[in-house]
Amino acid sequence: MTSRGAGTAFSRKNYRLSTEPEKSKVTGIVNSRLLNDYLHRVFTNADGNQPAAAYRKHLTFQNLQEHLDRLLAEENGSEDSRDQVAEGRLGPSTVVLDHTSGFEGLLLVDDDLLGVIGHSNFGSIRATTCVYKGKWIYEVLISSQGLMQIGWCTLNCRFNQEEGVGDTPDSYAYDGNRVRKWNVTTTNYGKSWAAGDIVSCLIDLDEGTIAFCLNGISLGTAFDNITRGAGMAYFPAISLSFKESVAFNFGSRPLRYPLVEGYRPLQDPPIADLVKARKLLGYLKNVIHIGIDVTEGKLVEKDTSMWQLQGEPTVLITLAHIFNYFSPLMCKVYLVEDVLMTFLLSILERGGAVEAHPLIQQLLDLMWLLMEEYEVHECLKQLLMSLLRAYRFSPIIPDLGLQIHYLRLTIAVLKHEKSRKYLLSNVLFDVLRSVVFFYIKSPLRVEEAGLQELIPTTWWPNRFTKEGKESKEVKEESAEERLRRRAYERGCQRLKKRIEVVEGLQVQILKLLLNNKDRGGGEASRYIFLNKFRKFLQENASNRGNLTVLCPPEYMVCFLHRLIAALRFFWDGHKVKTPAALSSEEAYVPPQLFYNGKVDYFDLQRLGGLLSHLKKTLKDDLAAKANVLIDPAELQAVTMDDLDEDEESATSAAQSQRPSAALAIGGALARPGWLSSPTLGRANRFLSTAAVSLMNPRRPLGTLEKIKVRTLSVEQRTEEDIEGSHGNEGLLLGRPPEEPDQPITENSLLEVLDGIVMMYNLSVHQQLGKMVGVSDDVNEYAMALKDTEEKISRCPKRRRDIHEELLKSQKVFSEKLNHLSRRLAWINVTIYSKEKMQDVYWLLRVCIRTIEHGDRTGSLFAFMPEFYLSVAMNSYSALKNYFSPVNSMEELPGYEETLMRLAAILAKHFADSRIVGTDIRDSLMQALASYVCYPHSLRAVERIPEEQRISMMKNLLAPYEQRPWAQTNWILVRLWRGCGFGYRYTRLPHLLKTKPEDASLPSLQKPCPSTLLQRHMADLLRSDRDLAPSFLNSVLNQLNWAFSEFIGMIQEIQQAAERLERNFVDSRQLKVCATCFDLSVSLLRVLEMTVTLAPEIFLDWNRPSSELLLRRLAQLLNQVLNRVTAERNLFDRVVNLRLPGLESVDHYPILVAVTGILVRLLVDTDVQGAERATAVLLADPCFQLRSIQYLLGHAEPSALAAAAPATDKRHFSLHTYTEYISAEELAKVDKMLSHLSEESKQAAATTLPTSEEDLCPICYAHPISAIFRPCSHKSCKACINQHLMNNKDCFFCKATITGVDDFTKPASS
């Protein structure tokens, strides 16, 4: 290509007519007079005036280039002087961050050396250029609002991991996180900053002052009398903590807020190019304005908005001359932002829909026609970067006008098919953080966002509890409150309408990216988007620790909702064209996507384990059911691949110690820097003062290729691979027989849907939970305000000092509530609105249908990724816990049916053998445990088919060994709570005076027992003779373990508390101790439940293990009673310590549980059963009547005598808990005590003394009554029967016992 603007030959895409003879061959060129007039009108002088016709030179296309050169060269003399080095500045003219020596700590720096992420405790870095004279300014774009100190420092400043900019004598900084200024000492200054703000840093070295601005608003002078003089020059500098990120603008782009008079950016703008670009843009505008009427032979003014290039050679050649000079300028970022973007925005400023401005499409056509391809690419890349930056860092104003403005231009650019495809293929996901376009930032300072005008009246609930509808016994609101609430709701509606405009534009962008009809010139946009979207998901799924790749969760939330809207638009559009297809309301992901290999799930866990393992173990099922054959070579490759990875893990471990091996190399691993520069990515320069040598990797670059990276197969996929054609089913290959042969929708939309579910799992759910914090803050402040107002009303008039302090507190709380209620309005509209709730509900239903379809495929269900089950559980949890204050879940369509279907999934799959992952099994168990705590969801469990209910109960009653049993036990306890003895409490009696925890916790719900599920449990225990003994034996084993552990721990705690030296008990130990106590209580309640529902398991001695189970139960109950009821014992002393963490440890919960079992066995049963239970209880050597008397407050005479001085000591008695225990229940305890007193006297009178040699050598409590075969060793029946439940070896000789016979001692001779 010839050099620009030099010589006469014009070779760019051959639009110029080179010689005179050629001119006659071209048709459509106008006559020379008209052409001359036209060219003079287009190419005016700098002042905009045309010389008189007599004096102006005759212009043709032959001398136009020379004329243009002359026009563009005007004013160059004055510009040259401007380009000289400005006085007062030292360093390179292009200002960047000094990545060679000007930093401290660990930092990630972008490729453009303008964006930085903190990667250590408190890293610092400065720029390459300093100033010593004059007025200077630079801007910092805040990408995260954490701890940072931004300002100026000198070369002599020495920073470390604790001290940064502003912590040394000659450094000065502003910190918007803590709202302070720093120069060795610190004082309050400025306002708090938020992500998306721009900080301007100004230094005036003539006056010796430093000031800062936030979003163009001055924060005032921060420092004056700064050190100046010989050797004093100031560098821009920043210190930032881990994960914080910013981007600098020293002048490489137009400053966003250049309004400060007399201040210059550190980097000079390209003034000469700027003047040239503006002139050329003026000529371009002239071409658009002026038309040639060939028939009349005159020039005419044209309507610019409808301008089209209608193949007019004269206009085309004129434009070719302009673009010859304009194109190279449009590769420069400053000019694109200042000239091109400003011009394109001005076109849209006339209002109306984006479609009403076809001029932008025409201009993009021109660019592709008249610019070199690499120039168009660079220009479009810089244009989108500038748009994204402008959108991200625009302040929020009441009508969101700035955000709307930039989104409209983004849509206009993306409407151009060729530009859209280029940007999708190379820019939107590769260079830009394009997800930012779908994010609406939340204002931290509501005043600047104009929310005070939009929502003039604030309101908050006076008394709000999260316990559900039953507990909202709120007093009738006053007329004034009602008016305030309605005014607040109207303000929220106004805000919602404005935000919906922005959301609509964001959805429009996604509709353009999901267009599958634009097949001109290659693949349709949707298929390019699919491949990029999959890669985006892979990066976020696989790089959980890599800051430069992860998409922040707040962006993900917005992206998810916009993507759902766009997806449902196309899904329902397809349904209109294909009536047989499903509507989006019935959407689900068919199971074949999970095993046919058409969609890459990276290394995500499947329900059945690793994919390579499933392919090997289920290859026959795949072949039989889905007609999918696994290539043996692939299986071999997978196996070898795993081996290779194992071998390489040793070497990669060493490499992982040197993170820069990957990060410092540069472009090879270039991906978007999510948290650093707001647009540029590639934060792959790793700066470390600890290991600067890492900047030069020790290994040659070639060795990188050997590292295994699972590349996405999607990169090579075509439309046909996805959609299928001519018998090829595309993504739906391998349909199992259980799956209906019915069209669902376009295959590509199924993949988008699958990606949406994955996105929710990656970070959306976590973010939804995080944002509930603002609502909690409102509730806390509202309670504090109400409390303060009550104190004011009670304050005596003479205490004016207290009254004034209370009024101050009231003012602070009111101001904070006004601020928070407006901020909450914003969050409720952008995150928790009814529409967003419906999106999450739709996603829940999609997951339920997907799981149901997958479940029908039998063994192939194991291929489903775990995240489908996680999203089903989490989305329900979000709907119940996060959206409920604003919108009620009960109002959602089909809510009851959805609840029941989810209950069926939890009931079936918590013990599904096809699911092997322990984490997902635990999650299912916890979800079911939470489900049965709330009345509405428990009723849903009761509505699932009876067969499934019985199966669920059977799984819950499986033996507790070799599985996580605590959650199972908790579920059974919840089904019983409300039916047991004294078991109707929500919070324990001794905790009622303490501050309640979050009332929405499952454990704090009101009792809601399920008699239906209890009946199923009773039927199972009665009918299955093997189930009851194995279940109860495991419960008794766990109770023995839990209570023994508890006693051991409280002994240690007591010993620690009695030591004279000051010591602290480990909080974790206290927590474990309290957990063991809670487990003991819950296991006792399950035993009470079993004894109540099926007493014959213990009392019908025709059953083989009944007597043994009763003996074990009696033994454990006696142990518990003895430990808890002994006077001045260990339990008493630890309870009286009232240690934080042991709040739940008290006499009441454990003693009423034991009492419930004893009453059921001894009182609420038939005569024969009561006799058996009494005999076994009294026969246990640990039985003490004193323990039963303790329950009713009857202390031993000896204890009473000893405790005579301490008359104030209160004894435990069930009689003091009349609110929790009914009179009928207390009467039964009295009856039980009198019965046991009588029986124990009789037993004592009839018991004959036994010689020591006749006692069982194991327990020394009962006489020998059994002899073992074949070894003839002896013990009592109780010991051997208990032993044989877990072990078949003899106690003494370890021989295998084949049988046990009764033993009676022969009469002595």
Side-chain angles (χ1 to χ4, degrees):
M1 186 189 297
T2 57
S3 62
R4 309 266 184 198
T8 52
F10 177 68
S11 61
R12 289 180 57 80
K13 298 208 178 180
N14 300 318
Y15 291 120
R16 189 184 185 286
L17 301 176
S18 300
T19 58
E20 195 66 37
E22 287 175 25
K23 183 179 172 184
S24 57
K25 298 176 190 172
V26 181
T27 57
I29 298 291
V30 297
N31 64 58
S32 61
R33 183 188 60 77
L34 192 54
L35 178 62
N36 177 50
D37 288 349
Y38 176 69
L39 294 178
H40 273 292
R41 279 283 296 279
V42 170
F43 299 101
T44 54
N45 290 334
D47 56 7
N49 299 322
Q50 299 174 45
Y55 294 102
R56 68 187 184 199
K57 184 179 175 182
H58 186 77
L59 283 181
T60 65
F61 285 133
Q62 275 65 41
N63 61 10
L64 177 58
Q65 186 163 336
E66 184 189 334
H67 179 66
L68 250 176
D69 284 338
R70 195 168 59 253
L71 285 175
L72 295 175
E74 289 174 10
E75 297 185 16
N76 259 9
S78 59
E79 283 157 16
D80 290 341
S81 60
R82 288 188 211 171
D83 284 342
Q84 291 170 2
V85 176
E87 194 184 358
R89 181 175 62 195
L90 292 172
S93 57
T94 302
V95 187
V96 292
L97 296 172
D98 186 351
H99 69 289
T100 54
S101 60
F103 64 90
E104 168 61 41
L106 302 177
L107 298 157
L108 287 162
V109 180
D110 282 355
D111 274 358
D112 63 355
L113 297 179
L114 292 173
V116 62
I117 306 178
H119 210 65
S120 61
N121 184 38
F122 203 49
S124 303
I125 192 166
R126 64 170 186 260
T128 52
T129 299
C130 60
V131 291
Y132 60 89
K133 184 177 165 185
K135 296 180 175 183
W136 303 91
I137 182 173
Y138 71 92
E139 288 181 344
V140 183
L141 287 66
I142 307 291
S143 297
S144 64
Q145 64 192 50
L147 180 60
M148 296 180 276
Q149 290 171 204
I150 299 170
W152 305 84
C153 75
T154 63
L155 197 59
N156 297 326
C157 293
R158 292 287 173 266
F159 304 127
N160 55 41
Q161 292 288 295
E162 277 73 43
E163 294 183 336
V165 181
D167 298 325
T168 59
D170 291 325
S171 63
Y172 305 86
Y174 161 49
D175 169 4
N177 177 260
R178 293 175 288 192
V179 197
R180 305 183 80 78
K181 60 182 180 180
W182 297 80
N183 174 233
V184 183
T185 58
T186 176
T187 50
N188 290 337
Y189 172 79
K191 296 179 180 176
S192 60
W193 61 37
D197 285 343
I198 296 180
V199 174
S200 306
C201 305
L202 300 88
I203 190 166
D204 182 345
L205 288 157
D206 301 332
E207 296 293 328
T209 61
I210 289 175
F212 299 92
C213 301
L214 188 63
N215 293 333
I217 299 166
S218 175
L219 301 175
T221 301
F223 306 100
D224 49 22
N225 293 325
I226 64 171
T227 314
R228 289 170 289 164
M232 295 302 293
Y234 288 90
F235 292 84
I238 184 172
S239 298
L240 65 177
S241 53
F242 185 62
K243 286 189 179 181
E244 303 306 334
S245 55
V246 298
F248 286 85
N249 181 11
F250 298 114
S252 58
R253 294 170 177 271
L255 292 181
R256 191 62 188 273
Y257 300 105
L259 309 171
V260 188
E261 192 67 38
Y263 284 84
R264 296 182 58 179
L266 261 75
Q267 182 174 325
D268 288 324
I271 293 172
D273 284 345
L274 206 51
V275 171
K276 205 182 283 186
R278 284 174 180 157
K279 278 186 184 178
L280 289 161
L281 182 65
Y283 303 151
L284 179 59
K285 287 179 182 175
N286 289 343
V287 172
I288 294 166
H289 276 284
I290 301 160
I292 307 171
D293 188 339
V294 183
T295 52
E296 295 283 327
K298 64 177 184 180
L299 305 178
V300 291
E301 290 285 334
K302 291 183 75 172
D303 176 11
T304 56
S305 62
M306 304 311 288
W307 181 83
Q308 282 187 321
L309 180 68
Q310 293 164 328
E312 300 172 19
T314 308
V315 177
L316 186 60
I317 295 167
T318 308
L319 286 167
H321 277 84
I322 294 171
F323 271 90
N324 184 42
Y325 294 90
F326 196 54
S327 302
L329 296 175
M330 285 302 104
C331 296
K332 298 181 180 178
V333 55
Y334 196 103
L335 303 177
V336 169
E337 192 163 318
D338 194 74
V339 178
L340 181 63
M341 189 169 94
T342 311
F343 170 54
L344 294 175
L345 285 168
S346 70
I347 295 172
L348 289 174
E349 269 172 1
R350 297 163 197 160
V354 177
E355 292 80 5
H357 301 285
L359 178 57
I360 292 176
Q361 306 298 304
Q362 294 293 319
L363 290 170
L364 288 166
D365 279 339
L366 268 183
M367 286 164 68
W368 282 99
L369 180 67
L370 299 175
M371 290 168 76
E372 298 292 344
E373 202 163 82
Y374 74 90
E375 290 171 337
V376 189
H377 291 174
E378 186 62 22
C379 178
L380 284 171
K381 184 177 95 173
Q382 297 298 350
L383 176 61
L384 257 282
M385 272 187 179
S386 298
L387 276 171
L388 191 85
R389 188 177 286 242
Y391 174 77
R392 173 85 171 89
F393 291 94
S394 289
I396 293 172
I397 55 175
D399 65 350
L400 295 166
L402 296 169
Q403 282 79 1
I404 290 168
H405 204 37
Y406 297 121
L407 285 175
R408 277 163 54 83
L409 180 53
T410 308
I411 291 169
V413 172
L414 291 174
K415 272 187 175 297
H416 189 263
E417 185 180 322
K418 198 169 182 183
S419 302
R420 174 171 70 245
K421 288 185 181 176
Y422 163 71
L423 290 167
L424 250 178
S425 300
N426 302 287
V427 177
L428 287 180
F429 285 91
D430 299 80
V431 180
L432 292 188
R433 311 192 303 175
S434 56
V435 176
V436 172
F437 276 128
F438 310 110
Y439 175 55
I440 301 176
K441 64 183 177 186
S442 173
L444 200 62
R445 300 173 302 279
V446 295
E447 304 80 20
E448 287 167 32
L451 290 186
Q452 283 176 323
E453 293 76 41
L454 208 57
I455 308 172
T457 310
T458 57
W459 172 85
W460 49 87
N462 262 339
R463 189 166 149 264
F464 180 77
T465 60
K466 285 187 173 182
E467 285 196 47
K469 286 200 162 179
E470 309 82 42
S471 58
K472 289 186 187 172
E473 297 146 4
V474 184
K475 64 182 182 197
E476 198 65 37
E477 64 180 350
S478 64
E480 184 193 350
E481 270 189 344
R482 193 180 303 114
L483 284 171
R484 273 183 62 203
R485 179 172 56 79
R486 287 176 180 169
Y488 176 72
E489 285 169 355
R490 283 196 298 275
C492 293
Q493 278 304 114
R494 287 194 291 273
L495 176 64
K496 188 176 180 183
K497 280 176 184 164
R498 292 179 183 189
I499 286 176
E500 279 174 350
V501 174
V502 177
E503 291 177 348
L505 291 170
Q506 291 170 333
V507 172
Q508 231 172 308
I509 292 175
L510 278 170
K511 285 178 183 174
L512 289 169
L513 301 185
L514 285 171
N515 182 351
N516 65 338
K517 301 289 182 274
D518 54 350
R519 293 187 182 86
E523 217 174 359
S525 299
R526 183 184 296 176
Y527 305 102
I528 306 171
F529 173 82
L530 266 184
N531 294 341
K532 296 293 178 184
F533 180 49
R534 207 77 199 165
K535 197 143 196 168
F536 164 79
L537 292 172
Q538 182 183 21
E539 284 164 352
N540 281 279
S542 313
N543 293 284
R544 301 311 297 156
N546 187 346
L547 295 180
T548 63
V549 173
L550 289 186
C551 172
E554 58 269 26
Y555 295 8
M556 279 278 209
V557 174
C558 295
F559 187 31
L560 176 102
H561 288 298
R562 309 305 171 264
L563 200 50
I564 287 176
L567 171 74
R568 295 190 69 175
F569 168 81
F570 283 108
W571 194 300
D572 290 329
H574 180 74
K575 164 78 176 166
V576 172
K577 294 178 209 155
T578 319
L582 297 178
S583 74
S584 64
E585 276 300 327
E586 307 160 292
Y588 72 95
V589 179
Q592 55 266 46
L593 256 71
F594 307 136
Y595 56 72
N596 64 17
K598 296 284 187 178
V599 176
D600 193 339
Y601 288 100
F602 336 127
D603 295 324
L604 292 176
Q605 189 78 1
R606 309 299 182 103
L607 292 177
L610 290 172
L611 181 63
S612 53
H613 164 74
L614 291 173
K615 280 182 175 175
K616 280 184 273 189
T617 53
L618 296 177
K619 64 176 187 294
D620 295 338
D621 288 359
L622 279 173
K625 286 189 172 186
N627 204 21
V628 173
L629 297 175
I630 303 292
D631 183 1
E634 186 189 338
L635 280 180
Q636 183 67 23
V638 165
T639 314
M640 294 307 293
D641 203 34
D642 294 341
L643 283 173
D644 289 351
E645 282 176 7
D646 292 341
E647 287 165 15
E648 284 177 8
S649 62
T651 54
S652 65
Q655 289 159 13
S656 68
Q657 300 301 312
R658 301 189 284 125
S660 71
L663 292 163
I665 284 163
L669 302 172
R671 297 300 313 147
W674 275 101
L675 291 168
S676 61
S677 158
T679 50
L680 273 173
R682 307 181 179 154
N684 49 11
R685 280 178 205 268
F686 185 68
L687 305 185
S688 164
T689 41
V692 176
S693 61
L694 294 180
M695 290 301 296
N696 307 309
R698 298 170 195 172
R699 296 176 300 153
L701 287 183
T703 57
L704 266 183
E705 294 163 17
K706 293 181 185 174
I707 296 173
K708 277 194 165 27
V709 179
R710 294 190 181 277
T711 52
L712 275 178
S713 57
V714 294
E715 290 291 356
Q716 290 82 40
R717 293 183 311 169
T718 62
E719 179 180 344
E720 193 172 314
D721 293 330
I722 295 169
E723 300 291 4
S725 63
H726 311 302
N728 165 21
E729 291 183 274
L731 290 186
L732 298 182
L733 177 78
R735 181 173 61 81
E738 298 84 359
E739 187 64 13
D741 185 10
Q742 173 197 7
I744 303 170
T745 187
E746 295 165 286
N747 292 357
S748 49
L749 297 180
L750 292 172
E751 191 175 325
V752 176
L753 176 57
D754 175 74
I756 288 172
V757 178
M758 196 189 296
M759 268 171 70
Y760 187 90
N761 185 59
L762 289 177
S763 57
V764 171
H765 181 72
Q766 156 203 351
Q767 181 66 13
L768 288 176
K770 192 175 164 189
M771 296 308 290
V772 173
V774 179
S775 173
D776 294 341
D777 289 348
V778 169
N779 294 331
E780 280 186 28
Y781 276 104
M783 284 166 67
L785 179 63
K786 193 177 178 188
D787 188 41
T788 308
E789 285 169 349
E790 284 173 5
K791 284 177 183 171
I792 289 172
S793 65
R794 294 199 309 268
C795 180
K797 289 181 182 177
R798 65 179 185 279
R799 295 306 305 268
R800 195 169 291 172
D801 53 338
I802 295 176
H803 193 260
E804 283 175 5
E805 286 301 317
L806 285 170
L807 287 174
K808 280 183 194 171
S809 300
Q810 184 188 25
K811 187 183 175 189
V812 169
F813 290 144
S814 295
E815 285 174 0
K816 190 73 180 172
L817 274 167
N818 284 333
H819 169 87
L820 281 174
S821 64
R822 291 189 176 103
R823 189 152 176 252
L824 184 62
W826 184 284
I827 289 168
N828 282 343
V829 169
T830 53
I831 299 175
Y832 299 118
S833 70
K834 191 169 185 182
E835 292 73 21
K836 310 291 184 297
M837 187 183 195
Q838 285 165 346
D839 282 349
V840 176
Y841 181 59
W842 177 77
L843 208 55
L844 166 63
R845 290 167 64 117
V846 165
C847 289
I848 288 173
R849 276 189 290 269
T850 302
I851 294 163
E852 287 171 348
H853 279 264
D855 181 33
R856 290 177 205 142
T857 61
S859 59
L860 300 185
F861 181 57
F863 281 96
M864 181 180 283
E866 281 185 355
F867 65 77
Y868 274 89
L869 276 168
S870 300
V871 172
M873 294 181 282
N874 288 338
S875 55
Y876 168 70
S877 166
L879 291 167
K880 183 163 67 71
N881 298 321
Y882 304 155
F883 289 87
S884 55
V886 188
N887 298 293
S888 171
M889 194 177 167
E890 283 86 345
E891 294 167 11
L892 294 165
Y895 159 75
E896 295 289 340
E897 187 217 355
T898 303
L899 219 55
M900 188 196 78
R901 288 166 73 181
L902 180 59
I905 286 170
L906 296 176
K908 178 167 187 179
H909 298 302
F910 83 91
D912 192 337
S913 59
R914 295 170 295 181
I915 301 175
V916 298
T918 51
D919 288 348
I920 193 71
R921 287 173 78 96
D922 282 354
S923 298
L924 285 162
M925 187 79 81
Q926 285 169 17
L928 184 60
S930 170
Y931 225 71
V932 298
C933 291
Y934 300 89
H936 56 281
S937 48
L938 178 61
R939 302 298 161 246
V941 176
E942 292 178 343
R943 287 199 307 275
I944 66 177
E946 185 176 356
E947 185 187 341
Q948 288 184 21
R949 289 198 305 267
I950 293 170
S951 171
M952 176 186 83
M953 292 310 296
K954 193 165 186 175
N955 287 324
L956 288 172
L957 295 175
Y960 281 6
E961 280 80 17
Q962 282 89 46
R963 72 188 185 92
W965 54 270
Q967 284 290 356
T968 312
N969 198 72
W970 167 244
I971 294 169
L972 292 172
V973 168
R974 285 303 311 188
L975 299 177
W976 178 243
R977 191 168 176 175
C979 296
F981 182 92
Y983 198 35
R984 289 171 288 280
Y985 55 82
T986 302
R987 296 185 73 215
L988 288 167
H990 68 287
L991 293 179
L992 285 180
K993 290 178 184 174
T994 60
K995 188 182 175 187
E997 302 165 66
D998 181 358
S1000 65
L1001 288 174
S1003 57
L1004 292 178
Q1005 299 312 300
K1006 290 181 178 176
C1008 51
S1010 170
T1011 50
L1012 176 65
L1013 296 176
Q1014 287 174 21
R1015 198 162 64 242
H1016 289 324
M1017 176 175 169
D1019 292 344
L1020 282 165
L1021 289 172
R1022 287 194 194 102
S1023 59
D1024 192 330
R1025 294 244 163 180
D1026 296 327
L1027 177 68
S1030 61
F1031 167 67
L1032 286 167
N1033 191 46
S1034 65
V1035 172
L1036 292 165
N1037 285 345
Q1038 300 301 351
L1039 175 59
N1040 188 23
W1041 168 83
F1043 192 71
S1044 302
E1045 285 290 308
F1046 168 68
I1047 294 297
M1049 283 184 185
I1050 61 171
Q1051 280 174 343
E1052 290 175 24
I1053 291 166
Q1054 172 66 17
Q1055 286 163 7
E1058 284 176 347
R1059 288 192 198 116
L1060 293 175
E1061 68 270 17
R1062 186 166 178 76
N1063 58 79
F1064 298 96
V1065 182
D1066 183 8
S1067 59
R1068 283 176 301 178
Q1069 188 181 4
L1070 292 173
K1071 193 173 180 182
V1072 173
C1073 180
T1075 304
C1076 286
F1077 179 79
D1078 292 340
L1079 285 173
S1080 303
V1081 173
S1082 65
L1083 287 159
L1084 283 166
R1085 286 296 183 185
V1086 168
L1087 288 169
E1088 180 194 18
M1089 180 183 185
T1090 313
V1091 168
T1092 308
L1093 296 175
E1096 59 268 36
I1097 294 169
F1098 293 95
L1099 302 175
D1100 179 4
W1101 286 6
N1102 294 324
R1103 287 171 170 258
S1105 53
S1106 289
E1107 185 183 354
L1108 171 66
L1109 287 171
L1110 186 59
R1111 286 187 189 283
R1112 285 202 68 194
L1113 178 63
Q1115 183 185 0
L1116 280 167
L1117 293 179
N1118 281 325
Q1119 279 182 18
V1120 171
L1121 280 171
N1122 293 345
R1123 291 283 192 177
V1124 176
T1125 61
E1127 285 292 333
R1128 296 185 305 284
N1129 68 356
L1130 183 66
F1131 187 85
D1132 259 347
R1133 291 201 294 271
V1134 171
V1135 166
N1136 291 331
L1137 287 174
R1138 291 292 173 210
L1139 295 172
L1142 290 185
E1143 293 87 357
S1144 63
V1145 177
D1146 192 64
H1147 293 82
Y1148 180 82
I1150 196 158
L1151 288 180
V1152 288
V1154 173
T1155 307
I1157 299 171
L1158 290 173
V1159 165
R1160 188 70 189 86
L1161 288 172
L1162 302 171
V1163 179
D1164 291 346
T1165 187
D1166 56 27
V1167 176
Q1168 187 186 26
E1171 285 174 358
R1172 286 175 179 169
T1174 307
V1176 169
L1177 193 66
L1178 297 178
D1180 186 75
C1182 298
F1183 174 75
Q1184 294 179 20
L1185 186 62
R1186 171 191 63 74
S1187 299
I1188 310 294
Q1189 292 167 339
Y1190 181 94
L1191 298 173
L1192 294 172
H1194 302 171
E1196 290 178 286
S1198 60
L1200 282 172
T1207 50
D1208 59 333
K1209 185 178 186 313
R1210 293 180 61 195
H1211 287 281
F1212 175 86
S1213 172
L1214 293 177
H1215 287 293
T1216 58
Y1217 295 95
T1218 50
E1219 289 183 24
Y1220 299 89
I1221 304 172
S1222 67
E1224 185 189 349
E1225 286 173 332
L1226 284 169
K1228 287 179 182 177
V1229 181
D1230 284 328
K1231 186 177 176 184
M1232 176 181 77
L1233 178 58
S1234 58
H1235 169 72
L1236 285 174
S1237 300
E1238 188 62 37
E1239 290 294 324
S1240 61
K1241 283 177 192 172
Q1242 291 181 13
T1246 57
T1247 303
L1248 294 171
T1250 309
S1251 68
E1252 192 172 322
E1253 63 221 36
D1254 293 337
L1255 286 174
C1256 166
I1258 302 300
C1259 66
Y1260 281 92
H1262 303 289
I1264 293 170
S1265 55
I1267 184 168
F1268 318 155
R1269 286 201 306 265
C1271 61
S1272 300
H1273 284 113
K1274 306 178 191 71
S1275 78
C1276 66
K1277 276 188 182 174
C1279 286
I1280 188 60
N1281 286 346
Q1282 184 174 335
H1283 178 66
L1284 289 175
M1285 291 191 92
N1286 301 306
N1287 196 331
K1288 299 298 180 192
D1289 295 343
C1290 172
F1291 290 116
F1292 308 99
C1293 63
K1294 302 303 176 192
T1296 302
I1297 297 173
T1298 57
V1300 176
D1301 297 326
D1302 289 344
F1303 172 79
T1304 48
K1305 186 178 178 184
S1308 54
S1309 54

